[in-house]
Amino acid sequence: MTESRAPRRRGRPRGGTDSRERIIGAAVDEFGEHGYDGSTIRSIAARAGVDSALVHHYFGTKADLFAEAVGIPLRPDIDVPAILAGPQDEVGERLIRYLLDSFEQPEIRRRGVMLIRTAIGSKLTTPLLAGFLSRELIGRIAKTLGVDDAQLRASLVASQVAGLLIARYVVKLPALTAAPIDELVARVAPTVQRYLFG
């Protein structure tokens, strides 16, 4: 008499009630030790003692898991491709407006400023954030541009954006803090546009 196997269950993969928290903890450790590029869903799952499918079930992609683990308030990997897909002559304006409008929301601003301050002053967080932005933001912009110096162009955009966010929301330079978003967009967007397409 052969032993009958139970049919494979459908739906959510098995995992204890603390699986999500274990995955987050494992992700923080894995990202901290191996950086964004050196960490994989499989290695994070192994560290958490769960199946990779459970990590995907709870968090989706590695970028989703990273954003959750470090508290990234914006998702450039999701939002920027849509900005780039619109009319080319408005990309700089749409990008700067998206960032400033987002940072005007109190919760995004609070988490964003905390992340920027942490990244600037931490040997651990700086390369993590740089890896995420290089792969998920700069890399995506560069691929869209499809020109020889695309990485440099995308990096210049990132430097412009980082400088603006730090000056307005972290250092709080009075003139930048007081300036309306429309004025900042009008002044900064042409530079971003030139970096991208000039």
Side-chain angles (χ1 to χ4, degrees):
M1 184 173 180
T2 58
E3 185 179 340
S4 63
R5 288 187 178 180
R8 189 173 179 191
R9 293 181 356 157
R10 293 183 178 224
R12 191 172 89 171
R14 282 191 220 175
T17 55
D18 66 338
S19 295
R20 195 174 193 284
E21 290 74 22
R22 286 204 332 268
I23 292 167
I24 288 283
V28 169
D29 291 341
E30 194 74 10
F31 287 132
E33 288 178 25
H34 303 288
Y36 183 77
D37 289 329
S39 302
T40 64
I41 291 290
R42 184 172 291 165
S43 65
I44 292 166
R47 187 184 282 256
V50 301
D51 190 89
S52 296
L54 191 63
V55 180
H56 286 295
H57 169 76
Y58 281 128
F59 301 101
T61 67
K62 183 170 79 167
D64 295 328
L65 177 55
F66 179 79
E68 182 81 17
V70 302
I72 289 181
L74 295 176
R75 293 299 305 276
D77 55 312
I78 295 171
D79 300 327
V80 170
I83 291 170
L84 293 170
Q88 181 176 305
D89 60 340
E90 299 171 3
V91 169
E93 180 180 341
R94 286 197 309 275
L95 182 60
I96 297 302
R97 188 173 297 282
Y98 155 75
L99 289 165
L100 292 174
D101 282 346
S102 297
F103 263 73
E104 288 302 306
Q105 299 173 42
E107 181 58 20
I108 288 178
R109 182 171 60 247
R110 184 184 69 79
R111 291 175 64 196
V113 166
M114 178 190 70
L115 184 61
I116 290 169
R117 283 188 171 139
T118 303
I120 290 172
S122 167
K123 289 181 180 178
L124 174 64
T125 313
T126 300
L128 275 179
L129 191 57
F132 174 78
L133 292 176
S134 293
R135 169 82 52 99
E136 304 298 342
L137 175 62
I138 295 170
R140 288 173 190 270
I141 292 174
K143 188 181 288 186
T144 301
L145 296 177
V147 294
D148 290 342
D149 61 347
Q151 286 285 338
L152 177 58
R153 288 172 181 262
S155 296
L156 286 167
V157 170
S159 72
Q160 186 75 34
V161 165
L164 177 61
L165 295 179
I166 290 168
R168 181 174 169 93
Y169 298 105
V170 179
V171 179
K172 297 185 179 178
L173 295 177
L176 276 177
T177 303
I181 287 179
D182 286 343
E183 182 175 357
L184 292 176
V185 169
R187 289 176 180 255
V188 176
T191 300
V192 170
Q193 189 74 19
R194 180 172 54 82
Y195 285 155
L196 289 171
F197 305 109

